[in-house]
Amino acid sequence: MVYDLILRRAQLHRQEHLVDIAIQDGRFVRISPDLSDASATREIDVAGRLIVPPFIDAHVHLDAVLTVGKPRYNSTGTLLEGIQIWSERKPDLTHKDVKQRALEEIRWEVAQGTLFIRSHVDVCDPKLTALRALLEVREEVRDICELQLVAFPQDGILSFPNGRELMRQALELGCDLVGGIPHYEWTRDMGVEDVHYAFALAKEFNRDVDCHCDETDDPLSRFTEVMAADTLQQGWQGRVTASHCTAMSSYDNAYAFKLMRLLASAQVNVVANPFDNIVLQGRFDTYPKRRGITRVKELLATGVNVALGHDSIMDPWFPLGRGDMLAAAQLALFLCHMSGYDEIQDVLDLITSNGARVLRIEDRYGIAEGKPASFLVLDAPSAFEALRLVPARLHVFKDGREIATTQPARSTVKGNLVTFTA
Ligand code: 17E
Ligand code: FE2
């Protein structure tokens, strides 16, 4: 048998021994400690490097990427000023502008191994300009990246004129999921209604739910519990994601533990966004300054599925970023105190298998015989080293096809003692 491709001496996450991996017709067909009796049209000796399934960006705003500084930079660094700047930029959005920026950023993500992306799209725009553009992008990038779009009411469902109808229109146009923003509605009651409306639409259109929820340091912002209750009442277990949930880091512990158990029993996923959370939260504090990222480690210990998003790449909320989910994972490791050896292994799951569960793509995700041959070759031998170095993604494959390659940077110190490569 001559396979299409064989990877030799591959390290898989959490496995002890190296394996050879054979790929045929776009799928993994054999994974075995030794395929030395088999050959292939192309063979790559990965020499003990880590092979992982593609990274997943479970939360980003592709309509806003690469707009930083236009019309102005965020000087307070708050979420609120970010929303204000975005509302000034929104009237100037054009179909072409949104498409060009989104496509550029998707290329950055793909180059670095992220092949599944869930993007929120602001629908508080009577013309739905960004949504129409991103619906086209979703189709145009299919050969390199799978994109899910969430109808996201940035200015509120109840607090924005015609908000309910715009959400409905977004779903009719083909949005994949229903979003929400309860903590930003004018009142607590309106926030509760924001969540109920998202679930009602989800039921009507048979869609999953992913709301921005409790993205604030206000310890009294308690809408994640409403999402969990609606999930249970509607029988939507496994189909719901609460994004950000930064208030959870400010809740009283007694309440936080009650909530985390409720989320676990409702099988609600939580997505944290380390770049934006650490930059946007804590802005009304002096010292000590809250970190503002949700309780990732404790949620995992309670049995809640947690994944990560990049959230922003050069936009009114976060001016920096390069679309690298491995860098996001490294930051989460620092911010969430997940530096124990086993915890470092878990951090890799946040941008791989846990993300796959959020996006509900598990049937076609992972390195196993029969699954589509989508994977990355990292220039590191383990999760530990990958999170230490944030190394190059040497090869990026989707369905057996190589779609990106990167040459690692090499440094040489010209003294007489060391040659250091990184
Ligand atoms: N909008 C929002 O409400 N929160 C965010 N973190 C971003 C946009 C990036
Ligand atoms: Fe977000």
Side-chain angles (χ1 to χ4, degrees), residues 229 311 345 360 386 400 408:
D311 202 15
Q345 311 304 308
R360 295 215 295 145

Side-chain angles (χ1 to χ4, degrees), residues 59 61 79 83 152 154 181 183 212 215 244 276 280 311-312 315 317:
H59 183 124
H61 296 256
L79 172 67
I83 295 174
F152 170 53
Q154 178 68 80
I181 189 161
H183 55 276
H212 281 63
E215 188 186 9
H244 293 293
D276 284 60
L280 297 172
D311 202 15
S312 293
D315 72 9
W317 295 275

